[in-house]
């Protein structure tokens, strides 16, 4: 496993478009301010143009972000700045940053430039795609087409995924966010025979290595492409790695006509990288210190996650919530683009309820009778009502005991506790660690079981028999 990122540049410079202008010097480096550089140019390159420099057989790549005057541009570096100095000659690559695409990209681990991080040979290139491609025209985009079943009971029942939509996973460290993401990838691979693209934005090298190994052990790596911009890299890399991974997802959708699950972990680190760059570019900070371009930067990424007649992209995005404040400007900017919101609760995890989804705070735009149908909607609402009533009575039970409740409330509490345990589930990706086979439960069986709980058919069953099971029908 090789996780040291080689200095980039070869990918763009080796593209046919770039080779023609590789030797055309455009200017010289005059200032270096951390990851931001100022270049004196003979002619102004367009914004987002990729420029290159070389020193001691190493290639350096820059992306133009500002025109300062008629001769100077401010650019961000897409790598470490060690070795850069004033007076270095800068060349024009002739295009924005491009990544090599190939039908053999699945099963690979790449960096933002499409270079291998897994120690294997470079991709056999079929062509290059611009990471700044425009979103599809509305005439070509397809509307959301119903539920994407995952086989995870609590998700499919209470906050179903939208096929071709965007889902946000909100949670802190240690609540099972990565495991849930891995199970989503496993579900798309096994149930829907689709593929997954994982964008690791600001991942720690330990997390990235563990995730890569666990994906291999779970048997889902062959249908997955992983693109990493690690935490120790330039903010320019962390800012653009999401677009690079999304470019591969678009390629799989458009060229291979696949159903793609696009997973991004963590979108908040993308916002943080944009904030770092904004400060270095000299922009005045806006609300709570975030960059003034926060909304447009998030929209630039989110608006490209679309489905067409050839294939679909369903997005699952992990989002860190600062200080558990859902009104944070970064969280609000991301929330406005999502179709489903899944809140992972530390309180649920402390009780051993995994997946640690908070059923009362999580929601989906599909939660209406017209989309779900009368049966699914009625069962989901009844389950929420039972769980909500149980949460209201928890303090009374803790102080006075369950015996002080009315007969009706006692029944609701006992059924809610069993439903809470029933919505736990062993995952296939953890089978090697837990020694318990993972299960996938179809939505129809989940609805049958929940109706039985609500009707009181399992009132005499001990709670522990409902915990970490699949369908109750299989148990019986």
């Amino acid at each position: 496993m090789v996780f040291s990122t080689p200095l980039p540049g070869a990918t763009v410079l080796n593209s046919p478009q770039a080779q023609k202008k590789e030797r055309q010097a455009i200017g010289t480096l005059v200032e270096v301010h951390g990851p931001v550089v100022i270049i004196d140019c003979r002619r102004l390159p367009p914004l987002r143009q990729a420029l290159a420099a070389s020193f001691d057989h190493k290639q350096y790549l820059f992306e133009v972000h500002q025109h300062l005057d008629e001769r100077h541009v401010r650019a961000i570096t897409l790598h470490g700045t060690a070795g850069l100095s004033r007076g270095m000659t800068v060349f024009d690559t002739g295009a924005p940053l491009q990544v090599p695409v190939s039908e053999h990209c699945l099963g690979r681990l790449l960096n933002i430039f499409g270079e291998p991080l897994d120690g294997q040979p470079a991709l056999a290139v079929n062509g290059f795609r611009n990471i700044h491609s425009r979103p599809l025209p509305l005439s070509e985009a397809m509307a959301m087409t119903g539920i994407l079943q995952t086989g995870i009971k609590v998700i499919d029942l209470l906050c179903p995924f939208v096929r071709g939509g965007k889902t946000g996973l909100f949670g802190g460290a240690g609540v099972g966010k990565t495991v849930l993401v891995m199970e989503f990838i496993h579900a798309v691979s096994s149930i829907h025979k689709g593929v997954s693209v994982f964008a690791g934005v600001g991942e720690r090298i330990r997390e990235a290595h563990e995730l890569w190994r666990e994906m291999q052990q779970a048997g889902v790596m062959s249908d997955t492409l992983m693109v990493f911009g690690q935490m120790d890299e330039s903010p320019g890399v962390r800012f653009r790695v999401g677009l690079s991974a999304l470019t591969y997802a678009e390629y799989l959708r458009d060229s291979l006509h696949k159903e793609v699950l696009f997973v991004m972990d963590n979108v908040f680190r993308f916002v943080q990288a944009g904030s770092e760059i904004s400060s270095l570019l000299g922009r005045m900070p806006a609300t709570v210190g975030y960059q003034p371009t926060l909304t447009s930067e998030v929209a630039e990424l989110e608006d490209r996650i679309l489905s067409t007649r050839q294939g679909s992209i369903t997005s699952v995005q992990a989002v860190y919530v600062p200080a558990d404040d859902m009104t944070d400007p970064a969280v609000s900017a991301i929330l406005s683009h999502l179709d489903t919101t899944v809140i992972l609760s530390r309180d649920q995890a402390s009780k051993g309820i995994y997946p640690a989804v908070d059923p009362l705070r999580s929601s989906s735009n599909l939660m209406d009778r017209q989309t779900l149908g009368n049966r699914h909607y009625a069962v989901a609402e009844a389950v929420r009502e039972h769980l909500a009533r149980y949460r209201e009575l928890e303090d009374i039970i803790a102080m006075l005991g369950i015996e002080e409740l009315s007969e009706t409330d006692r029944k609701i509490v006992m059924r809610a506790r069993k439903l809470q345990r029933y919505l736990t589930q062993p995952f296939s990706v953890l089978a090697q660690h837990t020694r318990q086979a993972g299960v996938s439960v179809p939505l129809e069986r989940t609805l049958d079981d929940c109706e039985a709980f609500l009707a009181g058919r399992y009132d005499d069953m001990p709670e522990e028999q409902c915990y970490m099971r699949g369908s109750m029908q299989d148990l019986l």
Side-chain angles (χ1 to χ4, degrees), residues 28-29 31 73 98 100 108 110 136 205 295 325 328 362 390:
T28 57
L29 204 62
E31 292 184 34
V73 299
Q98 300 179 8
R108 299 303 302 273
L110 307 175
L136 289 172
I205 189 169
T295 305
D325 180 13
D328 185 87
S362 303
Y390 173 44

Side-chain angles (χ1 to χ4, degrees), residues 378-404:
V379 171
E381 287 300 298
V383 169
R384 283 185 192 274
E385 288 173 8
H386 277 63
L387 295 173
R389 183 59 178 161
Y390 173 44
R391 186 166 293 183
E392 290 174 3
L393 296 171
E394 276 185 321
D395 290 340
I396 296 176
I397 295 171
M399 290 185 294
L400 303 177
I402 195 171
E403 295 79 10
E404 298 300 320

Side-chain angles (χ1 to χ4, degrees), residues 129 134-145 163-165 249-260 303-314:
R129 288 180 73 113
R134 293 186 177 182
L136 289 172
L138 290 177
S139 58
E140 297 181 19
M142 293 289 291
M144 298 177 294
T145 56
R163 187 186 296 270
E250 291 171 334
Y251 168 75
L252 293 170
R253 177 197 66 193
D254 299 336
S255 301
L256 304 185
H257 311 304
K258 296 286 189 179
E259 180 162 307
V260 183
D303 287 351
R304 286 174 57 183
I305 303 174
L306 293 171
S307 298
T308 66
R309 293 177 179 85
Q310 287 74 36
S312 67
I313 299 180
T314 303

Side-chain angles (χ1 to χ4, degrees), residues 149 156-157 372 375-376 379 422 441-451 471 473:
Q149 294 192 29
D156 291 343
L157 176 66
L372 300 182
R375 185 192 180 204
H376 186 172
V379 171
Y422 168 73
V441 183
L443 176 59
E444 285 300 316
R445 285 203 174 188
T446 301
L447 295 177
D448 291 341
D449 291 340
C450 289
E451 284 179 334
S471 170
Q473 299 171 31

Side-chain angles (χ1 to χ4, degrees), residues 421-458:
R421 283 152 180 76
Y422 168 73
L423 293 176
T424 61
Q425 188 170 339
F427 284 164
S428 301
V429 294
L430 292 181
Q432 293 184 341
H433 302 286
T434 61
R435 306 300 180 190
Q436 187 174 6
V439 293
S440 177
V441 183
L443 176 59
E444 285 300 316
R445 285 203 174 188
T446 301
L447 295 177
D448 291 341
D449 291 340
C450 289
E451 284 179 334
F453 278 111
L454 295 169
R457 295 177 203 162
Y458 297 119

